Amino acid sequence: MADIYIRFETMGSGDLDYRNIVSARLVKDRYTPYSELTASVVLSGSINLANIRRIALYIGSRRMHYGPADYIRTRVRGGKTVLELISRGITLMLGQNEPEPGVWSKVSLTDIMKSYSPSSEITYESGTNTVNYVNINEKSTLWEAIGVYAVKAYGRRAYIRGDRQVNVSLSILSVNIGPQRVIEYGKQLDTRLMLSKIYMKNVDGEYGYSYSSGKTVPQGITRVKYYGLDKQWLSNVNAGLKDRIDFAEREYLVDHITYEGFCGEDITDKIICSGYGVNGKRVSRMEITVNNWGMQTKLICE
């Protein structure tokens, strides 16, 4: 198994690395603007909790997670001190800050991030398409604004690649998982969030815009919702309504696989695993767990 450790970056007094990990779980999702790490480690000495600035998870030389300490607790029992932690990735701040609302003209992802990024530690894909304008509503988060831009520029939402990079282009990488590693695999159907039809008000106050999905028809599911006038999408109402339907249908019918170890894949990478449903599909969610039995990776692929 690769060298796995958790690093605490402290305020001015160096880094603290811990390899005596009792358990750890890292979750990354294509539709969530941050990774989440939960872990327990055995401490070899004292630690000043208030001095911890960032928490990172490393697998070998690759940093998989990087973010502030959301929650830390130490427990002493039988002379052994165990530290429990929860850390969400630094890109969570994209969903916690609001940019200036209004019409943004001639913007790319670079323009948006240079103007409104809450931290220089958050990186972003360069060379992205420029759109004529995006209309950002009041109380929209920066992550929602980036989502509007991405749908207009690329027809899809943005996602986080690596431990802190905002991306809109799909990955060009393929990762090969050896069949000998596979623990379990299968398919998953999830209709809990799906919508059958949505309506949106027009400028006259009537629900003159609508969009339907046929995926709920076979299950006999009817879920209709009405939305107010959303100025973000007045220039392309169908794109906005379709995005709402697509988002509700995320991971509707997907393949999953769990295997020993970790092969280095990331969100939107293509998986190569001949003979399994995930073969040729893109990673939309990954869960890496570490415990006394070793390391396992679970992938959901669309």
Side-chain angles (χ1 to χ4, degrees), residues 41-216:
V41 299
V42 177
L43 299 183
S44 55
S46 62
I47 185 171
N48 180 0
L49 300 187
N51 202 34
I52 298 173
R53 181 177 181 273
R54 295 282 186 263
I55 293 176
L57 173 69
Y58 283 83
I59 299 179
S61 61
R62 179 172 169 180
R63 192 172 70 180
M64 301 293 300
H65 170 86
Y66 183 72
D70 288 321
Y71 172 86
I72 304 179
R73 181 179 72 160
T74 58
R75 295 186 294 109
V76 180
R77 178 180 294 180
K80 183 170 69 175
T81 302
V82 175
L83 181 146
E84 300 170 340
L85 67 89
I86 300 173
S87 173
R88 292 172 293 177
I90 193 170
T91 50
L92 172 65
M93 287 193 283
L94 299 172
Q96 295 176 321
N97 287 271
E98 298 175 3
E100 181 181 358
V103 177
W104 302 351
S105 301
K106 301 291 184 182
V107 291
S108 65
L109 180 60
T110 297
D111 297 323
I112 295 172
M113 293 299 290
K114 280 186 174 180
S115 297
Y116 297 109
S117 178
S119 172
S120 60
E121 294 177 286
I122 300 175
T123 61
Y124 49 89
E125 179 184 357
S126 61
T128 57
N129 295 343
T130 297
V131 298
N132 287 334
Y133 74 92
V134 289
N135 193 335
I136 304 304
N137 293 336
E138 290 187 5
K139 309 309 293 181
S140 291
T141 66
L142 180 56
W143 183 247
E144 290 168 337
I146 292 171
V148 172
Y149 158 79
V151 171
K152 286 198 170 187
Y154 291 89
R156 70 179 75 93
R157 296 197 177 203
Y159 66 98
I160 302 301
R161 188 161 181 85
D163 59 358
R164 54 176 175 155
Q165 178 168 299
V166 182
N167 265 54
V168 288
S169 299
L170 297 176
S171 170
I172 60 172
L173 300 179
S174 296
V175 178
N176 197 336
I177 297 175
Q180 70 276 8
R181 295 170 172 262
V182 175
I183 298 171
E184 67 173 33
Y185 64 96
K187 291 186 176 293
Q188 174 181 303
L189 173 74
D190 191 341
T191 66
R192 291 174 293 181
L193 299 176
M194 294 174 68
L195 300 173
S196 54
K197 191 169 187 177
I198 58 177
Y199 293 89
M200 188 180 82
K201 278 185 178 180
N202 57 28
V203 292
D204 297 322
E206 300 173 347
Y207 290 98
Y209 302 121
S210 66
Y211 196 91
S212 301
S213 170
K215 289 184 179 178
T216 57

